[in-house]
Structures are given as C-alpha cells and as structure tokens.
Amino acid sequence: LATGQAGSVLLWNLAGRRSIVLRGQKGVNIALGFTPEGGLVSTSDEGVVRTWSLSPEANAPVRVLWSKKGALLGYDVDLDAPGRLAALLNRLEGEWILVPLDGSPARVHRATRGRGDPALGGLRIDPAGQRAAATYVVSGNPEAGSIRILDLSTGAERVLRAETAA
C-alpha cells in the first residue's frame, strides 16, 4: 500500500509493523500508481512525474520521466494494464499528459474547452489500454459537465455530455 502526503511517499507494510518513507516527490497533493512489475509512479503539484524501483535487488535510481513547472498533477494518475503508459491530468490547464514508462517522449493533448473555468479530473484508462476517460467540470455550472474520452493511440477526443431533464 502506498500513500502520498506532505511531500513524502509512504510504503505501508501490511504484513508487519515497519513502513518505508520515500523522499523526493515534492508538493502537497501526490498521486501514485503501481506498475505491474511492482515499481511506483508518482506525481504531484510540483509538476514532476517520477518512477521508483521498489525492488532491493534492482538498485535503480529514481527517474524523472516528465516535468513542467506549475503543472498541477497531484490528483490523478492511472497506468495501462501492461504498465507501458501513465496517464495524468494537468487539471486546470485542461491537458492530458501521456507518459511512456520506458522513457520515450511524453505526449500532451489539450482538451477542447468550453466557456467558464474548466477543470479535468477523475482519470481512468480502460482495461484494454485504448482510451482514457476524465470528467470535465466548469466551475459554478454543473450542467456544463461532461466526460472526455481520449483515444490513446490517435489523440482523438470524444465528448459525452450529461442531459438534464426539464
């Protein structure tokens, strides 16, 4: 089990009493995801995406995969099932960030914007790893909310809008 709080990542040993504190992920809001191999992906409002090897045998350093000063990333991270890709949201900028875990260059897709002060959140990748979905909310206007679907291979975006009854 892993949690992030106040600039630290904590790994909780559920079978024992000792926990491990990993330092290096700055920012108050921290999002975490485990890779299929047992590694960890972390990001925060610091605007940096890191990978951590949790295997004592690996002796691998913490790697920075992507960074953008001022990017607010600390609420959502999801990984595709094979563990090849981490998807994140720069929520107030309306950006999807797709970060390959092999160190290849990241892709940034800007969501189509409506009027008002939009924010992305609630990110999830489908089990097949073909699409990601996120909520899109306009402050003060719940009827303007929608779900954005992003095709991870093409970058095409589809918008599903909520219909309200009269």
Side-chain angles (χ1 to χ4, degrees), residues 58-79:
N59 198 21
V62 175
R63 293 186 321 155
V64 172
L65 294 179
W66 185 86
S67 68
K68 179 181 178 182
K69 187 171 178 72
L72 299 177
L73 306 174
Y75 286 101
D76 295 293
V77 63
D78 200 16
L79 281 71

Side-chain angles (χ1 to χ4, degrees), residues 53-117:
S53 173
L54 302 179
S55 169
E57 296 84 36
N59 198 21
V62 175
R63 293 186 321 155
V64 172
L65 294 179
W66 185 86
S67 68
K68 179 181 178 182
K69 187 171 178 72
L72 299 177
L73 306 174
Y75 286 101
D76 295 293
V77 63
D78 200 16
L79 281 71
D80 66 351
R84 297 180 312 245
L85 180 74
L88 308 106
L89 300 172
N90 186 357
R91 60 189 178 277
L92 296 181
E93 295 297 320
E95 294 175 331
W96 305 74
I97 298 113
L98 306 173
V99 182
L101 298 183
D102 65 3
S104 300
R107 294 177 288 149
V108 177
H109 174 77
R110 191 172 232 2
T112 56
R113 295 175 84 90
R115 294 188 317 207
D117 184 19

Side-chain angles (χ1 to χ4, degrees), residues 128-166:
Q130 297 175 350
R131 291 176 295 278
T135 58
Y136 190 80
V137 178
V138 177
S139 298
N141 187 356
E143 289 81 23
S146 61
I147 300 293
R148 304 295 167 114
I149 310 292
L150 182 69
D151 183 302
L152 297 177
S153 61
T154 67
E157 181 182 326
R158 181 176 170 205
V159 179
L160 305 175
R161 298 198 188 286
E163 300 294 328
T164 56

